[in-house]
Amino acid sequence: MKRETVVVLDFGGQYNQLIARRVRECGVYCEIHSYRTEPEKIKALQPKGIILTGGPNSCYDPGAPSCDPALFSLGIPVLGICYGAQLMMNLLGGTVERACMREYGRIEIAVDTECELFAGVSPRTVCWMSHNDYIRTPAPGFQICAVSSHCPVAAAEDSERRLYAVQFHPEVLHTAEGSRMIANFVLRICGCAGDWKMDAFAREAIAQIREKVGSGKALCALSGGVDSSVAAVLMARAIGTQLTCVFVDHGLLRKDEGDDVEAVFGPAGEYDLNFIRVDAKDRFYEKLRGVTDPEKKRRIIGEEFIRVFEEEAKKIGAVDYLVQGTIYPDVVESGMGGESAVIKSHHNVGGLPANVDFREIIEPLRTLFKDEVRAVGMELGLPRHLVMRQPFPGPGLGVRILGEVTPEKVHMVQEADAIWREEIARAGWDEKVNQYFAALTDIRTVGVMGDERTYDYAIALRAVTTSDFMTAESAQIPWEILQKATSRIVNEVPHINRVFYDCTGKPPATVELE
Ligand code: GLN
């Protein structure tokens, strides 16, 4: 089955992943490729449309990223965004220059609603601008179809050749009607049906895995996180007992988390696979004894995780495939999908095991964004609490216990965290905040309980809202919820006599405390 594809050509802009997301929100599959990709290769993908992203350069500078002008005569609709728009104009005979008034932020534009790109959009609409250069005159054949007070060409179209250029960024949410514009491009102009749905994805993926693995064996490291759980389910549906899942319980999981994972994937669950739960708590606590430096703790946990996994793998013997829960943002951040700098080389804590005997890595979720991974999980019947689970760091509670980790402290933070999550959920705030947890500080303070002096630990509560997890704001949790959680924590969790709420955003803080 040939699926409809839109190709995003990446010129190094900040929002390239968002563009792909918006396209997929229209039900159309989308891939990001570097601007260096040859037109022949792009053509071979048979895209229904091409989008050129923004970028930091000026298109008239010598050596600035460019593309083959042949791209504009393939008969495939092209939408240029910001740098992409400027480049399109420059290559086709328009003029692009340094603007005397640069625009940055929310800017109102007046649009021609006769233009297909702006069908159904308000005649005056707010959009997000971020540019120093501007299009002074559009290329021959183009009509101006939007202006701002400083931009004579905020958008231009050549409806004959189906080429579109917008100076602003429709992909960011600050562009009030940006999603509609992208939908207009993808569905109306490119004529996509918008039938890329997760049930089809799951069906195709299962068939492909079956074909690829044949009668071979696969091994999956299951962390209980969303990505590895969904990857494991897809594999289990495809190859059943040819799959072995190793779940390393490092003793730094949230309260009851190990049992939750086992309930789904273990012998009592609905999948017929080989599930191995390794209780490695003591090993991890032993290694962490006396260690207080956050980076050192992270490293120890990552390395020990790999060691335990390798030992289990050795017992199983050679396998054909090692399953990884890599998702599309990991691929793009590794510098493989587009132009963005290498942010991390791969996403698993501590990297790949060196001593596991496997032939090939299999990454069934490689093309999906997080929300799509969740949709596949729901589609495959994974319980909602596993699928909607908030992000949890690989080193687990190890980085939510400030300073030295001990089994007693793990217990304290697990209990406090469970209460905090329960109260947030009970108040209906679990859908309003994106991440919320408790951390155990390394501070002991004086308190009084039952007329007796206490000298005990302080818990820090955290709740943040974010749309991208790159920046975050501290959530304005109503006082009643904070008060209720505080009183329950000090009453129910021994050795906690004080509770703080973290009011800092990211930046300057990070979401996790260590
Ligand atoms: N660098 C170009 C400019 O300053 C394009 C910016 C962008 O794509 N956001 O105008």
Side-chain angles (χ1 to χ4, degrees), residues 43 46 58 97 127 135 185 202 238 299 327 329 358 371 373 443:
K43 216 171 137 188
Q46 300 180 0
S58 287
E97 290 172 1
C127 64
I135 300 165
F185 178 70
R299 216 171 37 244
I327 69 173
F358 64 92
D371 52 330
V373 171
I443 312 170

Side-chain angles (χ1 to χ4, degrees), residues 299-360:
R299 216 171 37 244
I300 290 173
I301 298 166
E303 278 167 15
E304 194 61 10
F305 188 91
I306 298 291
R307 291 296 90 76
V308 176
F309 182 68
E310 281 176 351
E311 285 170 30
E312 287 309 313
K314 235 190 214 128
K315 293 182 198 160
I316 299 160
V319 292
D320 304 284
Y321 298 95
L322 187 67
V323 183
Q324 293 224 298
T326 316
I327 69 173
Y328 199 49
D330 302 325
V331 175
V332 176
E333 282 171 13
S334 313
M336 288 182 282
E339 269 308 302
S340 66
V342 176
I343 297 167
K344 48 183 177 178
S345 45
H346 40 65
H347 83 139
N348 270 6
V349 243
L352 273 180
N355 299 321
V356 174
D357 198 2
F358 64 92
R359 243 185 29 218
E360 213 181 305

Side-chain angles (χ1 to χ4, degrees), residues 73 77 137 314 337 465:
S73 37
T137 42
K314 235 190 214 128
T465 56

Side-chain angles (χ1 to χ4, degrees), residues 8 17 47-48 87 109 124 128 149 178 186 191 197 223 237 259 261 294 314 334 377 395 400 433 464 502 507:
V8 170
Q17 285 204 37
K48 299 279 283 187
L87 181 69
I109 57 169
R124 304 194 74 86
W128 182 256
S149 49
V186 169
K197 296 271 162 16
S223 70
R237 280 276 154 86
D259 295 340
V261 172
K314 235 190 214 128
S334 313
R400 291 183 183 171
V433 291
V464 299
D502 186 343

Side-chain angles (χ1 to χ4, degrees), residues 134-214:
Y134 82 121
I135 300 165
R136 193 162 67 107
T137 42
F142 279 81
Q143 306 283 326
I144 295 172
C145 50
V147 294
S148 76
S149 49
H150 294 300
C151 247
V153 189
E157 65 165 337
D158 179 338
S159 53
E160 198 82 7
R161 285 187 286 174
R162 296 190 298 166
L163 305 177
Y164 299 80
V166 293
Q167 181 56 73
F168 55 88
H169 290 273
E171 70 277 21
V172 304
L173 292 177
H174 305 301
T175 298
E177 295 173 272
S179 293
R180 158 150 288 157
M181 298 171 193
I182 298 217
N184 283 343
F185 178 70
V186 169
L187 304 177
R188 294 174 74 113
I189 296 166
C190 302
C192 292
D195 53 8
W196 156 256
K197 296 271 162 16
M198 288 303 117
D199 53 342
F201 172 86
R203 263 199 319 276
E204 280 173 38
I206 290 169
Q208 277 166 12
I209 294 167
R210 269 194 200 130
E211 193 179 25
K212 183 173 179 122
V213 176

